[in-house]
Amino acid sequence: MPKDGIGASTKRREDVRFLTGTGRYTDDINLGKQLYVHFLRADVAHARINGIDTSAAEGMPGVVRIFTAKDFEGVGGLPCGWQVTDKHGQPMQEPKHPIIAEGKIRHVGEIVAAVVAETLDQARDAAEAIMPDLEELPAVVDMKEAVREGATKVHDDLTSNLCYDWGFVEENKAAVDEAFEKAAHVTTLELVNNRLVANPMEPRVAVGDYAAHSDESTLYTTSQNPHVIRLLMGAFVLGIPEHKLRVVAPDVGGGFGTKIFHYAEEAFCTFAAKQLRRPVKWTSTRSEAFISDAHGRDHVSKIQIALDADNNFTALRTDTYANMGAYLSTFAPSVPTWLHGVLMAGNYRTPLIYVNVKAVFTNTVPVDAYRGAGRPEATYQLERCIDKCARELGVDPAELRRQNFITPDQFPYATPVAVEYDTGNYHATLDKALELADVAGFEARAEESKRTGKLRGLGIANYIEACGIAPSNLVGQLGARAGLYESATVRVNATGGVVVMTGSHSHGQGHETTFPQVIADMIGIDASQVEIVHGDTANTPMGMGTYGSRSLAVGGSAMFRAAEKVINKAKKIAAHLMEASEGDIELKDGQFTVAGTDKSVAWGDVTLAAYVPHNYPLDQIEPGLEETAFYDPANFTYPSGTYICEVEVDEGTGQVEVLSFTAADDFGNVVNPMIVEGQVHGGVAQGIGQALLENCAYDADGQLLSATYMDYAMPRAADLPMITVDHSCQTPCTHNPLGVKGCGEAGAIGAPPALVNAVLDALNRNGHAVDHIDMPLSPARVWSAMNA
Amino acid sequence: MYNFEFVKPSSVDEAVAALKDEDAQPLSGGQTLIPTLKQRLNQPSRLVSLLGIADLVGLSESGGEMTIKGATNHATVAAEAASSFPGLAALAGKIGDPAVRNRGTIGGSIANNDPSACYPAAAMACQATIVTNTREIAADDFFEGMFATALDEGEIVTAVRFPVPEASNYQKFEQPASRFPLTGVFVAKYADRVGVGVTGASNDGVFRWKEAEEALASNFSPDAISGLTVPADDMISDLHGSAEYRAHLVKVLTGRGVAAC
């Protein structure tokens, strides 16, 4: 057993370069004769473009070319990767998403013109001399206003601002409504899932290059999925075949979803480099990131739970307005539907569920997947509503949940919203969290807080998520315009070292550490002999990238399957070398042995034989030791858990302090516990950020009010408590070879409802009857709720 | 950032001369000016750094007054005023982060008069004197509203002189994003009076809450202000808090400041 195999908390090997400044990020890439682009971006939310005068700017020093929409005639728009069908069976309304605004500006930050110059300052200077002739139009910002009859349209060629009206499961609607009529109790809650800006530490960067001698284009970009960008940009936007287009995503400093999508700047740099026969580089400023990176969340929902006289959940229905922004970003339509509606059952046996989602166009930045993507929105509604329900009924919120849990003997469990949970044990994580958070001692702590003038509260939330997305044939039926398998090539070198080329992409997850742990475990060699290659379409097999907590569950499984093929072939070689039967060969600790004998041959001797095949069964197998596998999962994976948060509220100011946070997760098998705990820490920090601090706010004119860190509050270390993380409750995934489920998004999903429930508990147990406060729970909002 | 000329004189006279150029601007720690330059919101022809003038740095105390030279940074004040004027040292020690505190200066803060700056609250509560290269100005006359002061073009804050109080305390309630004060209250207790300076709250910038000063002068306890209310009329209302909330905070923070003195 290697010391750094599965289960070892190996330190992250990639951190050495990240922490010593030797990482190679996209902005570190500078090519010979490189030009710089500065984008002139819209400073109004909605306007007709009557003309753009670039004449003064064109003559300015260093300017090479100024591009406007007319330079992109014949070039495709940015494609949307998911088509949702509405409740009437009609496809969603899908407007063109141009690289540079065509005819109309539809959000602050949209590209109006692009200046390519010898230096960045020259490009910026020239951009200030461009004179767009704009006719300002009323902005559409509020979703419910946007879908009113006669509202100003974001897209003149669409029938309305409604992208789709989705009902799920439409056939269940009548039965759900009937259950509500018969209910002994109904709890209703209206809430907002606040819009967020992803804010990865590294802003987006794109460098386009073109090699005239081979007619090949290369894009270096900050992406979570370089193959997806190659497919979308090559096939739908620029018309470049995949064998003439290479996309490289080197070290990427955080993504959180917002680097999944194909962006205009990527297509622009690739296009302009070919036009100008020189590399073109763009590095986003933080200010640009706020108005051009896809935002997250932004749902306005009403949820209702029906219960019988024994407090069993009998039905659930929700109405949600989901903001799409001005255009459909790559996966935007799927987030409020197939990543949200199908999770509405949560951890509970509720037999009847109906989810309605209206997706709406507004004059705001496009909204798409952000850490958790749809699942946090589902969990937040459900866990907030159950908490309110418990208060209305006067029952313990933990016990109301427990009473309605799917029980361990019910797995596999088919929910009324189309998915089948393969495995889980919600009672186990609830019990573990109650114990670790010392819930039994809470009342004493609350008394202690009272003595110091503070209001103490405790909040519980359960979550379930669908990760490891997903079976391609299923997502295809649901409207995905892509497959969702993953790939890996395992190449064994002559001297026994292993290189794994994976379609997964690490932008902070630690694949370079965890993936070798799996290989080390399978072969019995040291993990240091395994190298992971990712992020370059030129040297990795076609993969779908990293998001939705899918890397280990899907990409790791592809690697596992490829490694199995390698090992099976190596066994054949070993059998030949030891003159034994293949069926008797065992591989353990890097040694092939013949069962029942003392014969053995080392891993390195077998790999050498594969490449120096002097004594080799050439009549049966080929030389070499390299295999590829594509893995398409049979189902989603379903991580779950219970989170408990304890807070104190300052009654005088409304300030919330998070005192403790406990996460009891079921991630199935765990490869590197330290990395898993780090992922939970990060996810919880982001969840606390959403619940307490972060707020992407627009005014009625479509101007972003929180456009810098002076107004957009990011969580900082001092805002966070020590986080207790436990992953000992393990029900391994039943359908992937590693039994893993995924852990990247859990924290961001479970933390917001736990925190908000805790604050409301603090208020209600201290005489402030407050049903709900919308996130973020800023001091001003909490104070206002207490003093309403 | 646009191009500009940069000069770093070694005396106040040289700096004043260099500032006579049209569109020349003084640069102290640059914690406000540099970000606005980076965003191209400001286009000076020349920046005159005040950080090369040895005579503009340092603290001294005599006759119950503490004089802080204009280009003294916050970290220095936090360290060197800690024993004799702990309320002001604590205020300085909570501005921004260590990088900000080692660049930002008291003169820059006072001269810029950001409505959410910390120092103006202390200057008002203490009735400090702002010393420039040409004159001395009482704090009450110096601060003229958001980003507005009594300074003339080319006039440089060379020092701020604080009467050292018997006790003082600064209550900074942070705006969640910028961590500037959403509302900040400096309470200063003297033998014959009490000063209450409020920053971050009002559309008119820093102000003295005179009703509280009077009430506290005769009864220096939180109870003394329990019957007072702060009118919300001129308070700032924004993403982070309503006018009513800020008015409420002024009272809460004043009470806490008094209790902490």
Side-chain angles (χ1 to χ4, degrees):
Chain A
M1 179 74 182
K3 66 176 178 1
D4 45 9
I6 290 174
S9 283
T10 308
K11 284 187 181 165
R12 303 199 334 161
R13 60 169 76 167
E14 47 270 78
D15 284 348
V16 175
R17 69 174 190 276
F18 295 157
L19 297 176
T20 57
T22 50
R24 184 170 178 265
Y25 295 89
T26 309
D27 193 52
D28 294 321
I29 294 169
N30 291 293
L31 306 175
K33 300 180 79 178
Q34 175 177 286
L35 298 168
Y36 295 84
V37 58
H38 176 78
F39 294 107
L40 177 66
R41 294 181 184 276
D43 57 6
V44 297
H46 199 191
R48 205 167 300 288
I49 305 171
N50 292 325
I52 300 176
D53 182 357
T54 59
S55 54
E58 272 158 16
M60 288 180 64
V63 172
V64 175
R65 179 88 67 86
I66 296 174
F67 293 83
T68 60
K70 68 178 185 321
D71 296 294
F72 285 83
E73 284 169 12
V75 174
L78 300 170
C80 181
W82 204 297
Q83 179 181 287
V84 167
T85 302
D86 76 7
K87 66 183 186 185
H88 309 295
Q90 297 301 308
M92 65 189 187
Q93 295 206 80
E94 190 172 357
K96 183 179 179 186
H97 188 178
I99 292 168
I100 296 184
E102 281 177 9
K104 252 173 81 162
I105 285 165
R106 295 187 177 87
H107 69 83
V108 168
E110 186 168 10
I111 298 171
V112 176
V115 183
V116 180
E118 298 289 343
T119 72
L120 184 56
D121 276 336
Q122 288 171 333
R124 288 186 75 176
D125 288 344
E128 290 179 6
I130 295 175
M131 299 292 169
D133 174 8
L134 303 179
E135 175 192 341
E136 225 177 308
L137 301 168
V140 183
V141 177
D142 181 86
M143 287 190 278
K144 290 182 182 175
E145 292 292 326
V147 295
R148 285 230 169 101
E149 192 73 31
T152 302
K153 286 197 287 184
V154 178
H155 296 276
D156 299 344
D157 53 336
L158 301 186
T159 58
S160 69
N161 293 318
L162 185 66
C163 177
Y164 55 75
D165 184 352
W166 185 75
F168 187 68
V169 177
E170 195 62 28
E171 293 73 29
N172 290 351
K173 187 170 187 304
V176 170
D177 291 344
E178 193 183 327
F180 270 90
E181 281 168 23
K182 290 183 186 159
H185 182 84
V186 173
T187 295
T188 303
L189 183 60
E190 293 187 40
L191 42 74
V192 174
N193 204 294
N194 43 326
R195 179 187 274 245
L196 302 174
V197 182
N199 283 304
M201 192 181 288
E202 177 206 28
R204 288 190 297 119
V205 181
V207 186
D209 191 23
Y210 176 71
H213 70 90
S214 58
D215 188 32
E216 284 179 352
S217 292
T218 302
L219 169 68
Y220 302 89
T221 183
T222 47
S223 176
Q224 299 176 213
N225 31 233
H227 286 95
V228 174
I229 302 305
R230 185 182 65 168
L231 178 65
L232 295 176
M233 185 174 77
F236 297 96
V237 187
L238 300 180
I240 306 172
E242 282 159 295
H243 61 280
K244 292 293 185 190
L245 178 58
R246 175 183 170 205
V247 176
V248 185
D251 285 334
V252 173
F256 311 111
T258 205
K259 288 176 183 166
I260 297 171
F261 323 120
H262 178 37
Y263 284 97
E265 296 86 356
E266 295 173 320
F268 177 85
C269 289
T270 310
F271 177 82
K274 188 170 181 177
Q275 293 267 311
L276 302 172
R277 297 291 199 265
R278 289 176 68 181
V280 175
K281 181 172 190 173
W282 171 69
T283 301
S284 174
T285 63
R286 188 60 68 181
S287 305
E288 279 182 290
F290 269 92
I291 53 173
S292 68
D293 291 4
H295 293 169
R297 314 278 194 261
D298 205 350
H299 285 195
V300 175
S301 296
K302 176 181 171 184
I303 177 170
Q304 294 185 294
I305 299 180
L307 299 91
D308 66 16
D310 298 322
N311 296 346
N312 297 308
F313 303 160
T314 56
L316 178 75
R317 64 185 173 199
T318 70
D319 282 298
T320 288
Y321 289 81
N323 206 334
M324 295 285 103
Y327 298 100
L328 292 178
S329 176
T330 311
F331 289 113
S334 68
V335 175
T337 51
W338 301 110
L339 294 175
H340 163 254
V342 299
L343 273 304
M344 218 61 237
N347 312 55
Y348 310 101
R349 292 190 309 269
T350 318
L352 288 163
I353 297 176
Y354 177 73
V355 177
N356 178 262
V357 178
K358 294 178 180 70
V360 182
F361 293 111
T362 59
N363 290 117
T364 62
V365 170
V367 181
D368 205 328
Y370 169 77
R371 199 172 193 167
R375 291 151 286 177
E377 295 90 321
T379 304
Y380 183 65
Q381 289 175 68
L382 192 55
E383 294 298 319
R384 282 287 304 115
C385 194
I386 293 173
D387 231 55
K388 181 170 184 245
C389 181
R391 191 167 296 119
E392 288 172 356
L393 295 170
V395 299
D396 182 330
E399 294 313 310
L400 180 62
R401 289 176 165 90
R402 188 195 301 276
Q403 174 186 342
N404 284 283
F405 273 159
I406 298 159
T407 55
D409 59 344
Q410 288 181 296
F411 293 97
Y413 179 84
T415 74
V417 275
V419 286
E420 183 178 277
Y421 302 159
D422 60 338
T423 180
N425 186 342
Y426 311 141
H427 298 72
T429 53
L430 175 61
D431 288 338
K432 178 60 77 175
L434 292 172
E435 172 204 329
L436 291 173
D438 185 23
V439 172
F442 173 76
E443 293 295 342
R445 295 193 294 277
E447 282 305 309
E448 185 60 35
S449 292
K450 254 182 208 163
R451 274 192 284 279
T452 60
K454 297 284 175 67
L455 319 181
R456 198 175 187 113
L458 182 141
I460 296 178
N462 296 304
Y463 75 90
I464 173 100
E465 55 167 331
C467 293
I469 55 175
S472 293
N473 53 7
L474 173 64
V475 298
Q477 288 168 26
L478 305 182
R481 291 163 168 164
L484 282 169
Y485 49 83
E486 197 46 81
S487 64
T489 296
V490 173
R491 174 181 297 162
V492 183
N493 292 321
T495 53
V498 179
V499 181
V500 179
M501 283 139 290
T502 169
S504 296
H505 183 277
S506 182
H507 38 280
Q509 292 84 352
H511 297 174
E512 290 169 49
T513 302
T514 47
F515 281 30
Q517 288 181 249
V518 174
I519 297 289
D521 209 79
M522 293 175 76
I523 300 174
I525 56 175
D526 197 278
S528 65
Q529 288 187 264
V530 186
E531 192 70 23
I532 303 299
V533 175
H534 65 91
D536 185 344
T537 59
N539 59 19
T540 55
M542 174 73 183
M544 297 309 293
T546 288
Y547 41 82
S549 305
R550 71 193 299 273
S551 289
L552 194 58
V554 189
S557 294
M559 177 182 70
F560 185 94
R561 289 279 164 81
E564 272 185 336
K565 292 186 194 178
V566 159
I567 289 168
N568 288 340
K569 183 173 177 181
K571 282 181 176 175
K572 288 190 170 71
I573 302 168
H576 177 87
L577 293 177
M578 294 188 282
E579 297 177 339
S581 164
E582 186 193 330
D584 294 334
I585 304 296
E586 293 172 353
L587 172 60
K588 190 163 181 271
D589 296 338
Q591 294 284 325
F592 292 93
T593 54
V594 181
T597 74
D598 59 357
K599 283 187 182 174
S600 77
V601 56
W603 168 255
D605 293 327
V606 171
T607 63
L608 190 64
Y611 290 95
V612 187
H614 296 165
N615 174 18
Y616 196 84
L618 285 166
D619 54 334
Q620 294 166 37
I621 52 174
E622 297 165 1
L625 205 47
E626 173 170 331
E627 300 287 348
T628 295
F630 282 71
Y631 177 81
D632 207 298
N635 191 354
F636 292 93
T637 63
Y638 299 95
S640 62
T642 303
Y643 286 5
I644 296 182
C645 180
E646 208 164 308
V647 301
E648 269 184 352
V649 178
D650 180 335
E651 203 168 14
T653 64
Q655 181 97 46
V656 174
E657 187 185 353
V658 184
L659 300 173
S660 68
F661 201 98
T662 304
D665 296 290
D666 176 359
F667 295 134
N669 293 335
V670 166
V671 171
N672 184 317
M674 180 198 71
I675 288 180
V676 165
E677 287 155 23
Q679 287 286 320
V680 175
H681 288 161
V684 168
Q686 274 181 292
I688 290 175
Q690 171 169 25
L692 219 47
L693 297 159
E694 299 185 45
N695 185 25
C696 178
Y698 281 93
D699 71 10
D701 296 326
Q703 291 292 336
L704 186 58
L705 296 174
S706 52
T708 74
Y709 290 136
M710 292 299 279
D711 288 301
Y712 189 91
M714 294 291 285
R716 304 182 193 191
D719 300 319
L720 303 172
M722 293 306 289
I723 301 166
T724 303
V725 182
D726 180 274
H727 44 76
S728 65
C729 303
Q730 297 182 349
T731 60
C733 171
T734 59
H735 55 80
N736 68 43
L738 293 167
V740 298
K741 295 183 173 180
C743 65
E745 298 160 298
I749 296 170
L755 197 159
V756 176
N757 287 346
V759 172
L760 287 160
D761 181 59
L763 301 191
N764 280 282
R765 66 169 56 238
N766 287 285
H768 297 285
V770 177
D771 277 342
H772 180 66
I773 307 172
D774 275 325
M775 300 186 289
L777 270 55
S778 65
R781 288 185 179 189
V782 175
W783 180 80
S784 297
M786 284 191 289
N787 293 281
Chain B
M1 195 176 286
Y2 298 104
N3 288 336
F4 52 82
E5 183 194 357
F6 179 78
V7 295
K8 195 172 184 181
S10 55
S11 74
V12 172
D13 288 346
E14 286 170 34
V16 170
L19 283 167
K20 291 207 185 311
D21 189 80
E22 196 183 352
D23 296 329
Q25 289 180 26
L27 172 69
S28 192
Q31 296 307 294
T32 302
L33 182 53
I34 298 292
T36 58
L37 293 178
K38 284 172 73 176
Q39 293 186 28
R40 294 190 159 197
L41 295 172
N42 195 336
Q43 192 169 9
S45 58
R46 173 190 287 171
L47 285 185
V48 181
S49 170
L50 305 180
L51 298 187
I53 305 171
D55 198 29
L56 280 185
V57 178
L59 286 77
S60 61
E61 203 184 340
S62 76
E65 286 194 322
M66 177 174 283
T67 301
I68 304 175
K69 299 283 189 65
T72 309
N73 68 41
H74 312 324
T76 302
V77 175
E80 296 184 10
S83 58
S84 55
F85 195 169
L88 191 70
L91 174 151
K94 284 187 212 145
I95 297 172
D97 57 21
V100 170
R101 291 194 288 274
N102 280 283
R103 291 295 302 176
T105 67
I106 188 169
S109 171
I110 295 280
N112 187 50
N113 193 19
D114 186 298
S116 296
C118 293
Y119 272 124
M124 287 290 273
C126 297
Q127 296 184 21
T129 301
I130 317 304
V131 184
T132 77
N133 55 310
T134 59
R135 55 184 170 147
E136 297 193 350
I137 311 168
D140 276 339
D141 301 325
F142 181 84
F143 300 105
E144 296 183 340
M146 276 195 190
F147 297 107
T149 68
L151 288 173
D152 294 327
E153 282 295 311
E155 191 174 6
I156 296 170
V157 174
T158 56
V160 183
R161 213 164 57 222
F162 293 88
V164 178
E166 290 173 1
S168 63
N169 181 267
Y170 181 56
Q171 293 284 319
K172 176 182 177 183
F173 191 81
E174 291 180 349
Q175 192 255 53
S178 69
R179 318 274 163 143
F180 277 58
L182 184 72
T183 294
V185 176
F186 196 92
V187 175
K189 181 180 187 301
Y190 294 89
D192 58 345
R193 67 179 186 89
V194 171
V196 177
V198 180
T199 188
S202 170
N203 282 314
D204 296 328
V206 65
F207 70 95
R208 281 169 58 198
W209 186 18
K210 291 183 180 167
E211 292 82 355
E213 290 182 348
E214 281 165 24
L216 291 165
S218 55
N219 173 19
F220 192 73
S221 86
D223 297 339
I225 60 165
S226 60
L228 302 181
T229 51
V230 182
D233 307 345
D234 292 327
M235 295 290 161
I236 297 169
S237 189
D238 64 12
L239 200 54
H240 307 287
S242 63
E244 291 71 25
Y245 181 59
R246 281 182 166 86
H248 167 77
L249 282 180
V250 171
K251 182 171 168 179
V252 170
L253 298 176
T254 302
R256 289 181 183 183
V258 169
C261 272

